[in-house]
Amino acid sequence: MKKAECTTILVGKNATIDGSAMIARSEDGGREIIPEGFELITPEKQPKHYESVISHQKIDDADLAEKPLRYTSAPDVSGESGIWGAAGINSENVAMTATETITTNARIQGIDPLLVHGGLGEEDFVTLTLPYIHSALDGVKRIGYLLEKYGTYEMNGMAFADHDEVWYLETIGGHHWIARRIPDDAYVVAPNRLNIDEFHFGKDGFLTDDALEDLIKEYHLNPDREGYNMRHIFGSSTIKDAHYNNPRAWFVHNYFDPEFGGKPSDQDQPFICHANRKISIEDICFVESSHYQDTPFDPYGDQGTPEQKKTFRPIALNRNFETHILQVRNDVPEEIAGVQWLCFGPNTFNSFVPFYTNVNDTPASFQTGPKFDLNKIFWLNKLTAQLGDTNFKVYGELENDFEQKSLAQCHFIQHETDKKVAGLSGKEAEDLLTEANQKMADQVYDNTIELLGNMVNEGHNLATLKFDLLD
């Protein structure tokens, strides 16, 4: 089971509307439906001994702390190919998302090949990292240590956030890595390519393994006359990038700043960018749900030709299985600082829910099972999406009303809960936040059932198999 279709968005604390750090990613897959769940991993549930399912890589017990932190996780519920924890926030309000599958080139693969036997991959990183770190920078260093010691069999990007910092890390070959701190006033959009461009060895805000700079010089890997651009050195610039990756970044850039301009296929779109306004949760919800609206490339639009509508891969598509926005808030007490906005299924037809992470359980409707079950929001969202996709002009407005209603209701519950938890701590706070999460989950589930009913009513007369003497 491979997930290689994600879109990551990172926002520094001074670039957001409320001063929180945000890291987001849509977790996409292939033709097979991959049910995703939402779980709370307490210290007693964390593995004491670890072996990867895919690579059979064993982790030394010394690399698993005796006292791991509690954390949230969005795993694949089948477990057949490992845990694939995807994203979460730990009890010290450190957030992690992993991974964004990225590109590489033959030059580095000929020097430090991806592992054929052993090594770590996407199935492992959250489980082996999030319960052991106390800051975003800790996350970078922990991953760097694991990559250098155990290696990897795939190219991946991952991100970390705490109250003050957002970091993005990319793997290079089988054992090397680079990481860059996102400036507080900036945002990043990272599709399925190697994304870090400008890089300064030894400068604050830039980290890598100790051997990488010498490796670049020894093997003459730098094509630029001056400086280091890691995308030029280790990444790709292919026809696939021009149609599959770059257009997603282009759309987000132009949404955050209409003067960005450029062309969808541009290969050198910058990694670090600045919006023309402060970015909100709703902004990220929109771009993670986007499909080139108001352009000729929108599969649902009426501007382009049939060929244009199939030219570029959109962010939202049928293979979105789970999407999250990990928010570390700075204007509230520690007990409520961590919020995992979460939705399941294709992003154009669902709604994010802002779950507190300082809890003692997750809502039952988000604890997905592997079999089709309309009591679980994952499967309910898959159903509404597949029905909605048959006629977006008819069903799209119904979905938009549903999403606006759901977000507003969740915001209201969150505001009320923030007030109620003031002065509480420990189990008392956890119980209140767990109750609030359940209330939001129930509200969105009920809204989704209502949406499905409205779609059935609206679509009743659209059936092809019908006959009326008045027709």
Side-chain angles (χ1 to χ4, degrees), residues 106-214:
R107 294 190 298 276
I108 184 60
Q109 289 300 324
I111 299 165
D112 182 26
L114 296 171
L115 275 63
V116 176
H117 303 290
L120 302 176
E122 185 171 352
E123 68 154 302
D124 311 301
F125 287 126
V126 168
T127 302
L128 293 178
T129 305
L130 190 53
Y132 307 118
I133 60 177
H134 305 275
S135 69
L137 184 57
D138 272 357
V140 171
K141 293 178 178 179
R142 168 78 174 175
I143 288 292
Y145 168 79
L146 294 173
L147 289 170
E148 292 174 48
K149 181 172 182 177
Y150 299 103
T152 184
Y153 52 85
E154 58 189 10
M155 288 285 294
N156 284 312
M158 56 201 84
F160 305 89
D162 57 29
H163 281 293
D164 297 313
E165 297 188 332
V166 174
W167 281 84
Y168 182 68
L169 179 149
E170 293 183 313
T171 66
I172 303 293
H175 299 86
H176 299 280
W177 57 276
I178 53 176
R180 183 169 181 183
R181 184 185 185 278
I182 310 309
D184 293 340
D185 64 346
Y187 78 89
V188 161
V189 54
N192 302 116
R193 65 182 184 198
L194 196 140
N195 291 282
I196 295 176
D197 48 18
E198 178 184 347
F199 198 87
H200 300 278
F201 288 96
K203 185 177 179 180
D204 287 347
F206 299 84
L207 286 175
T208 181
D209 62 275
D210 292 338
L212 193 65
E213 185 176 12
D214 289 339

Side-chain angles (χ1 to χ4, degrees), residues 62-74:
D63 290 330
L64 304 174
E66 291 185 9
K67 295 182 179 180
L69 301 174
R70 182 199 67 208
Y71 63 103
T72 53
S73 174

Side-chain angles (χ1 to χ4, degrees), residues 277-332:
R277 62 189 182 280
K278 291 192 173 183
I279 296 171
S280 68
I281 285 287
E282 285 76 15
D283 285 327
I284 301 179
C285 290
F286 174 79
V287 293
E288 288 285 14
S289 304
S290 64
H291 40 87
Y292 301 115
Q293 291 94 316
D294 291 329
T295 77
F297 314 115
D298 184 357
Y300 292 138
D302 53 13
Q303 294 186 29
T305 65
E307 292 75 20
Q308 285 177 309
K309 294 179 180 183
K310 296 180 179 179
T311 301
F312 302 128
R313 182 241 143 122
I315 292 176
L317 76 177
N318 65 316
R319 301 194 308 274
N320 301 141
F321 293 131
E322 174 269 321
T323 306
H324 51 266
I325 306 169
L326 306 179
Q327 181 183 25
V328 184
R329 302 192 289 174
N330 280 311
D331 61 344
V332 297

